[in-house]
Amino acid sequence: MSPRKTPPPVPVIGQGGGDQSREDQLREWEENQRRAREAQTAAAAPAPSAAAPVLPAQADGVTVDGSTGQAVEPAADTPAGGVSVTPTRASAAGYLPMPQFTQPDSDDPAERLEFYSRGILAVQYAARANHERAEQQKLIGLGLRLQAMKDEELHKTAGFSTFGEMTDARFQIKKHQANNILRVMPVAQALEDITTQELKERPLRVLVPVLETHGKDAVRETWLEAARHGNVTDTALKQAANFLGYAPPKELPAAPAQKQEKPPAAAQVSESLRAVERIRELAERDPTRARREAEELESAVRELVEELSGNLG
């Protein structure tokens, strides 16, 4: 490859009125500078790993890393609409650079339309990915700061009686929302190095006991297992944790309490005693009548005893 030519000095546009040739030289010089910067970036980018093949994306010169699903920009010498073999890594924070605007080489209107259409899809992809990463980092960033303020009891310094009152008044974060963020924040930290997806609080609750019992590696393994089947939901995480043996054991329902049967003998004795007690109360008011009923009761009892004795014999 022949060495790149040294760009001409920066032309100065006269103050008189529109020297078109000098304006053309200035635009040419700016374009050369842009290409030089792109060439330096491409030279500093690492070569792709054999374990992570690069797949072409339907965008203007943008490719997708097969291991992460993230878009990467082409090298400066990649032809317009071509496929890059040397990806530029995303930033350390996991955000994707927006694809730069370029024009296609073809003069055919249909091809130019297709080229620009692929570029729009690439921009939308990067914007969506960056939004999800931003929401993920928002959860972690809020959690770290809320935890610090709670540990240091700084709500007292601000004149609030409770931590929840301070978060609600100052940040419009309800007490239960703050507690939920603090609960799942360590789980989000364990996952931020393996996914750039938005980490929502509700599905992450499933992984809280996994983290507390089995540690960060188990959390990552459970997430990756759930992600193999598509969208990661709380149900998918529960199934993955159960499959990997990280789910807490299910509590068996308690055996129903057996009904205690009332002893029939006790009921009979209670009725007999009540009859005797009633005759005693009657004797205080009408002794003659009470005696008569006592004799009738005695006769009935004697007959019952003889009847039962006959049945038993």
Side-chain angles (χ1 to χ4, degrees):
M1 180 182 298
S2 60
R4 185 180 296 274
K5 296 181 180 179
T6 304
V10 181
V12 179
I13 301 177
Q15 300 178 357
D19 187 342
Q20 187 64 35
S21 62
R22 290 186 176 181
E23 292 181 2
D24 293 339
Q25 292 177 10
L26 178 58
R27 282 195 292 270
E28 181 181 359
W29 180 85
E30 291 176 345
E31 179 66 17
N32 291 336
Q33 292 298 305
R34 184 185 66 81
R35 292 179 180 178
R37 289 193 298 270
E38 291 180 355
Q40 293 176 357
T41 302
S49 170
V54 177
L55 303 178
Q58 298 299 316
D60 48 346
V62 177
T63 61
V64 175
D65 190 329
S67 62
T68 62
Q70 296 181 350
V72 292
E73 292 184 343
D77 56 352
T78 300
V83 177
S84 172
V85 296
T86 307
T88 300
R89 296 181 61 185
S91 64
Y95 295 97
L96 300 180
M98 278 293 172
Q100 295 183 358
F101 173 77
T102 57
Q103 294 188 358
D105 293 337
S106 174
D107 294 330
D108 181 81
E111 293 181 358
R112 295 179 69 86
L113 174 62
E114 178 65 20
F115 181 88
Y116 291 135
S117 298
R118 291 198 303 269
I120 290 176
L121 295 177
V123 169
Q124 291 175 335
Y125 175 88
R128 184 168 58 250
N130 289 339
H131 172 74
E132 292 190 1
R133 183 64 168 183
E135 289 298 315
Q136 176 196 112
Q137 294 300 301
K138 173 184 174 182
L139 176 61
I140 297 174
L142 291 177
L144 291 172
R145 289 159 179 81
L146 290 173
Q147 188 67 63
M149 287 191 293
K150 185 175 183 180
D151 292 343
E152 298 178 28
E153 298 184 343
L154 296 180
H155 61 276
K156 298 179 181 179
T157 303
F160 295 95
S161 58
T162 65
F163 174 71
E165 290 179 0
M166 183 187 70
T167 61
D168 190 4
R170 285 204 166 189
F171 315 113
Q172 292 73 53
I173 300 177
K174 300 294 184 181
K175 178 181 178 181
H176 72 277
Q177 293 176 322
N179 289 333
N180 288 338
I181 291 174
L182 294 179
R183 185 182 180 193
V184 303
M185 184 262 295
V187 175
Q189 285 182 300
L191 295 173
E192 67 173 328
D193 60 344
I194 65 170
T195 180
T196 59
Q197 292 184 24
E198 177 181 357
L199 300 177
K200 297 183 179 181
E201 179 267 329
R202 181 178 178 84
L204 294 187
R205 296 181 198 174
V206 178
L207 298 177
V208 171
V210 176
L211 177 65
E212 294 174 347
T213 305
H214 303 284
K216 294 182 179 180
D217 289 341
V219 169
R220 297 187 184 99
E221 187 178 356
T222 303
W223 177 275
L224 293 175
E225 177 61 31
R228 288 199 311 117
H229 307 288
N231 190 26
V232 180
T233 62
D234 51 350
T235 300
L237 289 171
K238 289 178 182 178
Q239 294 174 347
N242 183 69
F243 172 74
L244 296 172
Y246 297 139
K250 295 183 178 180
E251 296 182 0
L252 298 177
Q258 296 181 353
K259 296 182 179 180
Q260 296 181 353
E261 298 181 357
K262 295 182 179 180
Q268 292 177 1
V269 172
S270 177
E271 289 292 335
S272 301
L273 292 176
R274 280 197 291 269
V276 173
E277 192 64 29
R278 184 179 60 81
I279 293 174
R280 284 199 179 100
E281 294 176 356
L282 180 61
E284 296 178 357
R285 302 188 304 272
D286 189 349
T288 303
R289 183 181 174 186
R291 182 179 179 81
R292 186 171 58 250
E293 289 191 11
E295 291 173 350
E296 291 176 355
L297 178 61
E298 180 184 9
S299 176
V301 170
R302 187 181 299 113
E303 290 177 0
L304 178 61
V305 170
E306 291 177 356
E307 182 181 350
L308 293 174
S309 298
N311 290 336
L312 294 175

